[in-house]
Amino acid sequence: MNSFQSFLAAIFFLVALSVCGQQTPDTTNDYKKRVLETTEIDFLSSYYAQDGDNAAVTGGIGTEELTDITGTIVVSVPLTDDDVLTIDAGVSAYTSASSSNVNPFDGSGPADSFVASSGASQADTWVNLKGAYSHSSDNRNDMWSANASVSSEYDYFSLGFGGSYTKLFNEKNTELSLYANIFLDRWKAIYPSELRPFGTGGIGSFRASEIMGNTDYNPNFTEFDNENRNSYAIGLGFSQILHRKIQGSLALDVVQQQGLLSTPFQRVYFSDIEDAFVENFQLADDVERLPDSRFKVALGGRLNWYLNERVSARTFYRYYFDDWGIKSHTASIELPVKLSDTFTIYPSYRFYQQTAADYFYAYETALSTEEFYTSDYDLSEYAANQFGLGASYTDIFTKMHLWKFGLKSIDLKFYRYDRNTRFNSSILTAGFKFVSY
């Protein structure tokens, strides 16, 4: 049994104890509705696939093909009438043609930016564990929570913690919330394979006898001094019931990042440096270089409208900007349609548009004299459309059972995403919620 399986077994053991140990309430006391009536378990999974022609790993050209499978379990346990403990654990395993070309020469075929390498860098696993504790006041008008998280993959480790406070007033028609989170991350920097011999600042060599084009290939490459990345986030939320059928909300999010904000294995090719090739693969002139700080601001709003007992509308808009020069607009709408007491479908549409970062350069357009540069198309100017369709089943009486848990709901969602940089992706998600009885 691996460590994650052992962890899941431990969670189920704790859940079993919590279910068996729940006490019969004292009927002599005044009744107070619990924040969470019984233990709940959510099983979540997703399958994600993408493709495109502008891989950042290969300097803005090459395949972006990637597949990812994720599994998550979320356990919420009522500790008392007012307190809830939530444990969230997930594993994501992906195979990436793009990241496989961090070292394109470790495969069985000729290296090529449009062909995946079959070497070790083609796959990785991400593991995440998060715990949260929340407490509500007796009148349910005040709630605070605290959380801590840890996640890890081969070249990245993250430790996070934070908290939130929510206040309800005006007969619970108005809600104000505040949150703060800190993430302390560390890279295990992995550089493109051809640059590694030059990383110490000395005179390196990389299969010199095989180089075509610029046979004097000698990039001016140095490794990053700092491999830490810290992120500090705060947010404010305001929600108001405007009408018995309309609810609106506003949110402000501010993020400050410091440290290594470049991705160490993403290549850049300069227009003023002669190209060098081994096999069919162009050797990097450098990796992306970005500022060591970034300030982000997002302001958004939601408007939910209950049209009738069958149909409602959920709308969203957000404006974002940062000090790297990116400005973006996001708008979306979802239309839940209740087909029966148990089945609901919800088609959705999302539009996104952004300007390019000041430091973005397409393939072979950056100059070696620039201080900062990247060919990551996530930082380019683009527009994107996403269409989605979801379906949910609610078992009101939890007729279906798994051990000591009854099935409460099933949710299935599919999204198709297309952006005008020749990039597209699809994701299928499934969620199953069980409650103890």
Side-chain angles (χ1 to χ4, degrees):
M1 180 180 291
N2 61 36
S3 58
F4 183 69
Q5 290 172 326
S6 300
F7 172 74
L8 291 184
I11 287 181
F12 276 108
F13 178 71
L14 291 174
V15 171
L17 288 180
S18 70
V19 174
C20 296
Q22 288 177 0
Q23 301 295 317
T24 303
D26 185 354
T27 56
T28 62
N29 296 330
D30 292 338
Y31 175 76
K32 179 171 64 174
K33 183 176 176 64
R34 297 166 67 92
V35 175
L36 183 66
E37 292 294 335
T38 61
T39 297
E40 296 183 351
I41 299 181
D42 287 276
F43 295 98
L44 309 172
S45 63
S46 68
Y47 174 79
Y48 172 84
Q50 70 173 46
D51 201 2
D53 299 323
N54 301 112
V57 174
T58 44
I61 59 171
T63 177
E64 296 178 83
E65 185 179 356
L66 179 147
T67 59
D68 178 275
I69 299 176
T70 300
T72 303
I73 180 173
V74 182
V75 181
S76 300
V77 181
L79 303 178
T80 68
D81 288 351
D82 306 321
D83 305 292
V84 177
L85 174 66
T86 302
I87 299 173
D88 182 335
V91 174
S92 174
Y94 71 83
T95 300
S96 170
S98 174
S99 67
S100 74
N101 283 322
V102 171
N103 183 2
F105 307 102
D106 61 354
S108 57
D112 191 312
S113 60
F114 287 94
V115 178
S117 167
S118 57
S121 57
Q122 69 171 327
D124 198 1
T125 300
W126 172 84
V127 180
N128 176 74
L129 175 64
K130 180 179 180 179
Y133 170 80
S134 65
H135 172 80
S136 298
S137 62
D138 286 340
N139 61 11
R140 303 298 184 250
N141 286 334
D142 299 87
M143 185 183 78
W144 64 265
S145 68
N147 67 80
S149 64
V150 60
S151 62
S152 178
E153 53 188 311
Y154 181 75
D155 62 338
Y156 203 80
F157 178 82
S158 177
L159 179 66
F161 52 92
S164 66
Y165 173 73
T166 300
K167 174 71 174 180
L168 299 175
F169 54 96
N170 189 23
E171 297 182 344
K172 294 184 170 58
N173 289 319
T174 306
E175 177 181 309
L176 287 174
S177 60
L178 169 69
Y179 82 85
N181 288 306
I182 297 176
F183 294 95
L184 307 176
D185 307 338
R186 183 172 179 81
W187 287 94
K188 178 185 175 183
I190 298 174
Y191 300 99
S193 57
E194 68 270 29
L195 293 177
R196 295 170 194 171
F198 305 88
T200 57
I203 299 176
S205 63
F206 180 80
R207 300 169 65 163
S209 62
E210 302 176 56
I211 293 178
M212 298 175 290
N214 182 10
T215 55
D216 295 325
Y217 178 70
N218 187 23
N220 183 21
F221 168 73
T222 57
E223 297 180 355
F224 293 107
D225 294 330
N226 178 21
E227 295 187 349
N228 295 322
R229 171 187 293 180
N230 298 335
S231 301
Y232 311 92
I234 59 172
L236 295 171
F238 172 78
S239 177
Q240 176 67 48
I241 296 177
L242 304 172
H243 181 270
R244 63 187 182 90
K245 292 187 175 183
I246 302 176
Q247 180 188 40
S249 64
L250 295 173
L252 173 66
D253 299 286
V254 179
V255 178
Q256 175 68 52
Q257 291 183 295
Q258 296 176 330
L260 180 52
L261 305 184
S262 307
T263 302
F265 52 76
Q266 295 188 167
R267 294 174 174 86
V268 171
Y269 299 114
F270 297 130
S271 61
D272 56 343
I273 301 293
E274 185 181 356
D275 298 344
F277 293 84
V278 168
E279 298 173 355
N280 301 322
F281 195 88
Q282 184 175 351
L283 305 183
D285 293 325
D286 198 1
V287 297
E288 73 173 12
R289 306 278 176 176
L290 293 169
D292 59 5
S293 68
R294 188 178 186 184
F295 183 70
K296 309 177 183 180
V297 178
L299 177 63
R302 295 182 182 274
L303 189 65
N304 298 334
W305 187 9
Y306 179 80
L307 300 174
N308 54 50
E309 62 179 8
R310 293 292 184 185
V311 182
S312 57
R314 302 170 183 168
T315 62
F316 171 76
Y317 171 78
R318 182 184 66 189
Y319 174 70
Y320 164 92
F321 67 92
D322 62 32
D323 59 358
W324 285 9
I326 293 180
K327 298 179 177 65
S328 73
H329 302 271
T330 305
S332 67
I333 183 170
E334 184 178 72
L335 297 171
V337 179
K338 191 172 183 179
L339 302 180
S340 68
D341 290 340
T342 56
F343 286 99
T344 302
I345 61 171
Y346 33 98
S348 64
Y349 171 72
R350 177 180 179 269
F351 174 78
Y352 179 82
Q353 184 181 48
Q354 75 171 37
T355 62
D358 296 336
Y359 319 112
F360 173 78
Y361 297 91
Y363 167 71
E364 285 200 332
T365 60
L367 296 174
S368 60
T369 54
E370 299 285 351
E371 181 180 9
F372 301 117
Y373 35 77
T374 178
S375 294
D376 185 348
Y377 271 72
D378 287 343
L379 300 177
S380 71
E381 178 181 1
Y382 69 87
N385 297 280
Q386 177 179 281
F387 296 89
L389 180 63
S392 67
Y393 166 77
T394 303
D395 189 346
I396 301 174
F397 301 106
T398 61
K399 301 173 186 176
M400 298 176 60
H401 299 95
L402 178 64
W403 191 45
K404 291 182 177 294
F405 294 86
L407 177 66
K408 185 176 182 179
S409 64
I410 301 174
D411 287 282
L412 300 174
K413 298 177 183 178
F414 175 79
Y415 297 101
R416 170 70 181 189
Y417 174 88
D418 292 278
R419 72 187 191 195
N420 60 357
T421 60
R422 300 195 307 274
F423 176 90
N424 62 79
S425 67
S426 299
I427 185 170
L428 177 65
T429 67
F432 302 85
K433 180 184 289 291
F434 291 87
V435 295
S436 64
Y437 65 95

